[in-house]
Amino acid sequence: MKKLNIQRYLKLLEIYVEDGNIPKYLEQLREQHPFESGDDPLMDYLVRLLENGKIRQLIGTSRLKKKVFYSSAGRFITECVHQLKFQNQRAWTEHHNIERMMEWSDEKRQMEWRSVLQQVDEKHRNDGFDTTFLQQMFGSADGATKQENWDRLAFDWEKALQYNHHKKEKDFIGMKSVNFETGLFKTLDTVQHHVEKEKISEEQALQAWDMMDGRWTQTEFEKQLKLVRIQDHYPELEEVVEKMGRFADNAGKERMAIASGKSLKMEHSSGSDIEGVTVGDDLNSLLPIELAQYIDEAMEDLFIYKYRTRRLQTFRYKSESSKQARRLGFAHATRKGPMVVCVDTSASMYGAPQRITTSLLSLMEETAELTKRNLFMIDFSVTTRPIDLMQRRKEKRLIKLGLTKDDYNFERGHVPFIGGGTDSRNMLEQLFELLDEEGGHYVNADVLWVTDFMIPIPQDAYLQRLQSYRDTGTKFYGMRIMPSTEKETYTDWQKYFDHIYRLTYQIVRRY
């Protein structure tokens, strides 16, 4: 039976909504899998569907309608693949019977050949299985003992089984495609009409859609839209997301500190940063003459000796005058770099703070996806839980398509509000590890804390290290969410943050 790779079909959808270059992807598939032969009814149907000008006309350039299309078509693919896998499992019994038949003794073959032909004929007489021809072959004097006759029976049986499976696959896809296309066109029309009628911005509509289960219902959409529109009441949410994140960019108007992690590697050093020559074992700063020794087999032993005795000639950088843990350089920057958000999930953040946080995370995820940025979350209270939000976003999207762990290797993620107290030490340790991770993507990230800041101040060692990140360019922002009845007070954390926003909410009392 044909191996069903659901990722292949979903990749086709992704390419369609991104740039529409389907022919190039199909050509890559043929190059990567040159020995795969036979029809693929599902792939054939998808190609015909995506070449339909009506779909491209309905989707246009709208990111919202592209996501709605991807979700609808993705669920159709998942349903088809699951059904075809079920058919494969049913067909496996016959495959197993064919294998067992080929192991029979001559005595058993003499007794069973008529029964086998009758059983196969009943199942596959309409699938090209020629029972009359095989009866003539086996009906001769020694027909039941000839190995070539049994080989021919196994071949014809397998061929009929494959034809039957292929026919069922085409029939199922044809039956499901009618309702799928009707529902798809109706959903795209409904989404467009509702968004235009209610004058909903595409940015907010996108966030509301991503918070749904991947199926359009107006009631659920309006429910999630209420959470998104919290951003209208708190413009600080959008303001802080606009500020966060930078990456090195020669065309950028800003300047940023370029810091490396524990290995002291200078990721963005330039010629003007070189101060002189020294000796040591820093392989990232080798002089060309030392590199020449390394690639010369005759000089290899000398190179290793100089490395072990720390006598290699290396460039000396001005940045070495900074703290050893995080070297500094400077470069032009654009504010589109990685972001880290630390979310307080203690009991004091239930209710309105939780809804505000949900709206903020929705905005951050949408911003990170649009600008192709990394986004990481550490939720903390008594314990901490690190989550790569962009990976979780991808996993949730696949789950909405109906995929299971058998289809895709992923874990479900969520933001738990587990209650309890708040301890910053575990969170800070996790944050420092993330910012220092060698080869990671968060060395120069900006950090946002979402909390009421009712957090005990940790030992000086934590605070000194936090300050060291600020000294090397990391920006720390706070989002302090408090009841409107509480007076604004100074927090001891204030001096360790570039800015702390204060958001207030009304406590609803029920009697």
Side-chain angles (χ1 to χ4, degrees):
M1 290 290 98
K2 179 184 67 180
K3 183 178 180 181
L4 297 167
N5 185 348
I6 197 168
Q7 299 180 39
R8 180 182 301 180
Y9 305 118
L10 294 179
K11 183 64 176 179
L12 182 72
L13 293 185
E14 292 175 7
I15 290 175
Y16 178 77
V17 299
E18 286 177 4
D19 57 21
N21 197 347
I22 297 176
K24 182 178 179 180
Y25 174 65
L26 296 177
E27 182 62 29
Q28 289 175 349
L29 284 181
R30 285 190 287 269
E31 293 176 356
Q32 294 170 3
H33 309 280
F35 300 107
E36 289 190 4
S37 59
D39 294 332
D40 187 340
L42 182 54
M43 182 64 78
D44 293 341
Y45 168 74
L46 290 174
V47 172
R48 290 197 303 271
L49 175 71
L50 300 182
E51 290 176 345
N52 187 337
K54 183 177 180 181
I55 293 202
R56 176 56 66 187
Q57 183 180 3
L58 276 173
I59 293 176
T61 59
S62 169
R63 292 180 60 228
L64 174 61
K65 287 190 281 188
K66 286 181 179 181
K67 287 191 174 185
V68 173
F69 167 76
Y70 178 86
S71 181
S72 300
R75 285 198 310 275
F76 170 78
I77 290 172
T78 301
E79 188 174 357
C80 288
V81 169
H82 285 172
Q83 175 64 22
L84 300 179
K85 284 183 176 180
F86 173 69
Q87 293 294 342
N88 276 351
Q89 291 172 354
R90 294 184 62 181
W92 176 248
T93 301
E94 285 194 62
H95 285 288
H96 189 56
N97 288 341
I98 295 173
E99 293 175 355
R100 288 193 303 174
M101 178 188 72
M102 298 303 291
E103 298 174 355
W104 286 351
S105 63
D106 288 344
E107 182 179 358
K108 186 172 179 63
R109 289 180 173 182
Q110 287 276 11
M111 296 173 57
E112 298 290 344
W113 70 268
R114 293 182 180 83
S115 175
V116 171
L117 288 178
Q118 182 179 354
Q119 291 175 13
V120 179
D121 179 66
E122 290 175 356
K123 287 187 176 181
H124 299 293
R125 65 182 58 168
N126 297 322
D127 300 326
F129 186 76
D130 192 344
T131 308
T132 303
F133 174 72
L134 289 168
Q135 283 177 336
Q136 293 175 353
M137 293 178 60
F138 279 87
S140 61
D142 58 348
T145 59
K146 288 183 177 180
Q147 180 62 37
E148 58 266 29
N149 289 348
W150 289 94
D151 290 339
R152 179 57 185 268
L153 171 58
F155 176 79
D156 286 359
W157 189 355
E158 180 72 32
K159 189 175 180 180
L161 180 58
Q162 291 179 357
Y163 178 84
N164 177 269
H165 183 82
H166 185 74
K167 182 173 64 175
K168 288 182 177 179
E169 184 177 352
K170 291 185 70 174
D171 290 345
F172 180 81
I173 292 172
M175 176 187 67
K176 297 296 295 184
S177 63
V178 176
N179 291 333
F180 159 64
E181 291 183 28
T182 302
L184 173 63
F185 294 142
K186 182 178 179 180
T187 298
L188 289 173
D189 283 334
T190 303
V191 169
Q192 180 175 355
H193 176 73
H194 183 73
V195 170
E196 291 177 352
K197 179 183 176 182
E198 301 298 327
K199 298 181 179 179
I200 305 169
S201 69
E202 181 160 85
E203 291 74 15
Q204 291 191 338
L206 281 166
Q207 292 182 54
W209 170 259
D210 281 318
M211 295 167 72
M212 295 168 65
D213 65 355
R215 303 174 192 270
W216 171 266
T217 61
Q218 185 172 323
T219 304
E220 181 63 18
F221 180 78
E222 292 296 336
K223 176 183 175 181
Q224 301 303 337
L225 189 60
K226 287 182 180 179
L227 284 174
V228 175
R229 282 179 166 164
I230 289 176
Q231 298 160 22
D232 295 336
H233 299 287
Y234 298 102
E236 297 89 346
L237 302 181
E238 184 174 352
E239 182 180 338
V240 74
V241 174
E242 285 285 334
K243 286 185 175 181
M244 290 184 65
R246 302 152 297 147
F247 70 94
D249 180 5
N250 290 332
K253 296 181 180 179
E254 312 230 0
R255 283 175 61 81
M256 66 179 289
I258 302 298
S260 67
K262 297 176 181 178
S263 73
L264 307 183
K265 182 179 179 181
M266 293 300 297
E267 296 285 355
H268 302 281
S269 60
S270 62
S272 61
D273 191 47
I274 298 174
E275 191 174 50
V277 176
T278 184
V279 293
D281 60 356
D282 186 355
L283 299 179
N284 297 305
S285 306
L286 289 179
L287 264 63
I289 189 173
E290 299 289 13
L291 289 173
Q293 289 183 1
Y294 174 70
I295 62 177
D296 188 340
E297 293 184 2
M299 304 291 288
E300 184 177 2
D301 290 342
L302 175 60
F303 178 88
I304 295 175
Y305 171 77
K306 292 170 69 175
Y307 172 73
R308 298 194 63 176
T309 56
R310 299 171 60 88
R311 301 298 299 170
L312 290 171
Q313 296 184 71
T314 62
F315 288 112
R316 180 177 180 84
Y317 293 102
K318 296 177 183 178
S319 304
E320 290 175 348
S321 61
S322 301
K323 295 184 178 180
Q324 288 284 316
R326 285 170 66 84
R327 292 189 193 177
L328 273 180
F330 289 92
H332 291 283
T334 300
R335 292 192 177 277
K336 291 183 180 179
M339 299 179 287
V340 179
V341 56
C342 302
V343 177
D344 183 352
T345 55
S346 60
S348 61
M349 295 292 287
Y350 277 121
Q354 180 180 348
R355 292 189 292 274
I356 295 172
T357 301
T358 300
S359 185
L360 171 64
L361 291 176
S362 172
L363 177 60
M364 296 187 75
E365 288 186 19
E366 188 62 36
T367 302
E369 181 178 82
L370 180 62
T371 54
K372 294 179 170 46
R373 300 156 68 180
N374 292 308
L375 176 60
F376 203 91
M377 181 181 76
I378 303 174
D379 77 69
F380 68 99
S381 60
V382 178
T383 59
T384 63
R385 184 167 186 261
I387 301 174
D388 185 329
L389 287 180
M390 300 317 294
Q391 179 63 26
R392 186 191 70 166
R393 187 177 177 89
K394 178 181 177 181
E395 292 167 357
K396 288 173 66 177
R397 188 166 294 161
L398 295 174
I399 291 170
K400 291 174 184 178
L401 301 182
L403 298 181
T404 66
K405 290 184 178 180
D406 293 332
D407 304 310
Y408 234 95
N409 182 23
F410 56 77
E411 296 181 358
R412 301 191 181 197
H414 65 288
V415 185
F417 279 80
I418 57 179
T422 309
D423 187 342
S424 62
R425 290 174 297 179
N426 290 335
M427 180 268 286
L428 285 171
E429 289 172 0
Q430 182 71 55
L431 176 61
F432 297 157
E433 182 178 346
L434 185 67
L435 295 176
D436 276 344
E437 182 185 3
E438 176 58 26
H441 304 287
Y442 295 91
V443 170
N444 291 295
D446 285 339
V447 181
L448 171 65
W449 286 21
V450 184
T451 175
D452 54 10
F453 279 93
M454 306 296 288
I455 306 172
I457 294 289
Q459 294 93 330
D460 288 343
Y462 288 92
L463 299 176
Q464 291 171 2
R465 191 170 179 188
L466 189 149
Q467 184 60 45
S468 72
Y469 289 100
R470 295 188 66 201
D471 294 340
T472 55
T474 297
K475 300 291 185 181
F476 283 84
Y477 301 100
M479 190 67 65
R480 190 179 188 184
I481 306 176
M482 302 181 66
S484 58
T485 54
E486 293 191 18
K487 295 181 179 181
E488 184 172 2
T489 56
Y490 177 83
T491 171
D492 292 335
W493 288 100
Q494 196 90 29
K495 56 187 175 182
Y496 299 102
F497 284 75
D498 293 87
H499 187 76
I500 294 180
Y501 297 87
R502 184 174 185 268
L503 276 61
T504 61
Y505 61 92
Q506 296 287 339
I507 298 179
V508 179
R509 300 189 182 276
R510 293 183 174 85
Y511 298 93

